[in-house]
């Protein structure tokens, strides 16, 4: 198991790779009440998970990114980017990185033009080749469990030895360690570290406990 690497203080514009190396699990959260944003970010950081992906699935998402970005120690990104127009919006809100369930040339161009560190989603070898041709070597594998799971990620390693994946979609406390064992998995994404019932209940201790559990999983070989 390799050590988790801290983000260099001198790196003003972190890369997707350096962000992914901060934690074995990226916390994927959907904020439905803005008042939950700051305490949730603080709880995740307290538990050892500094990287948070806020999905653009609620009206509160951009304001949540803005609020969370002010929390010390957190690295906030925007997930579910599905259009070029969202790129400038998430940057204006303070997002450090972006994630998509898939990708299009227009989205990739917008991220390049605006300097947004970006992790495009893939589910097939053709999509991996397309992203590789654009210079991306850190990819989101989504929806992981539905698209072949650990077996598919493992199969990608031989033809794509330089590509690293962040499996997301259907990951749980029990199956996440099996993904992290793979040499081509840099980290995982999961909503299980901040389940909505605990968020609604403002159960800070519960979130901290799950975050610590996720942190202890460590990263697999990089």
């Amino acid at each position: 198991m390799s050590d988790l690497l801290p983000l260099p203080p001198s790196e003003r514009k972190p890369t997707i790779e350096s962000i992914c190396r901060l934690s074995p699990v990226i916390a994927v959260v959907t904020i439905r009440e803005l008042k939950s944003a700051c305490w949730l970010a603080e709880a995740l950081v307290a538990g050892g998970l500094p990287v948070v992906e806020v999905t653009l699935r609620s009206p509160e998402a951009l304001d949540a990114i803005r609020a969370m970005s002010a929390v010390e120690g957190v690295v906030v990104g925007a997930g579910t980017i599905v259009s070029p127009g969202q790129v400038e919006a998430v940057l204006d809100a303070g997002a450090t990185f972006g994630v998509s369930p898939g990708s299009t040339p227009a989205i990739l161009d917008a991220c390049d033009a605006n300097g947004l560190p970006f992790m495009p989603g893939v589910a097939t070898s053709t999509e991996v080749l397309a992203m590789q041709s654009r210079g991306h070597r850190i990819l989101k594998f989504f929806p992981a469990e539905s698209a072949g799971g650990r077996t598919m990620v493992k199969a990608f390693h031989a033809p794509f030895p330089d590509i690293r994946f962040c499996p997301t979609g259907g990951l749980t406390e029990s199956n996440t360690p099996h993904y992290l064992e793979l040499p081509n998995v840099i980290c995982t994404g999961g909503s299980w570290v901040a389940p909505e019932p605990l968020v609604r209940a403002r159960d800070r201790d519960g979130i901290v406990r799950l975050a610590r559990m996720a942190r202890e999983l460590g990263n697999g070989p990089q």
Side-chain angles (χ1 to χ4, degrees), residues 4-7 14 17-29 37-38 40-54 65 68-78 94-97 187-188 193 207-208 210-212 214-216 219:
L4 299 174
L5 303 179
L7 199 63
E17 181 170 0
S18 64
I19 292 168
C20 287
R21 289 184 184 277
L22 287 172
S23 173
V25 179
I26 293 176
V28 180
V29 303
C38 287
L40 178 57
E42 290 168 354
L44 290 166
V45 171
L49 296 186
V51 186
V52 181
E53 174 192 329
V54 178
I65 291 171
M68 285 180 159
S69 296
V71 174
E72 185 177 358
V74 73
V75 179
V76 185
T96 301
F97 66 97
C187 66
T188 62
V193 296
I207 298 293
V208 171
L210 288 174
R212 285 176 177 162
R215 180 70 183 198
E216 289 171 1
N219 273 5

Side-chain angles (χ1 to χ4, degrees), residues 4 8 16 24 36 48 54 58 64 82 90 97 99-101 108 115 117 120 134 137 145 158 160 165 170 176 179:
L4 299 174
I16 277 293
S36 299
V54 178
S58 71
V82 295
V90 301
F97 66 97
V99 183
S100 73
L108 295 173
R134 291 284 302 240
R137 64 178 296 273
E145 284 290 281
F160 306 112
F165 295 94
T176 293
Y179 281 95

Side-chain angles (χ1 to χ4, degrees), residues 120-136:
V122 299
T124 68
S125 56
T126 299
E127 292 168 345
V128 175
L129 281 170
M131 295 305 99
Q132 189 177 48
S133 72
R134 291 284 302 240
H136 292 274

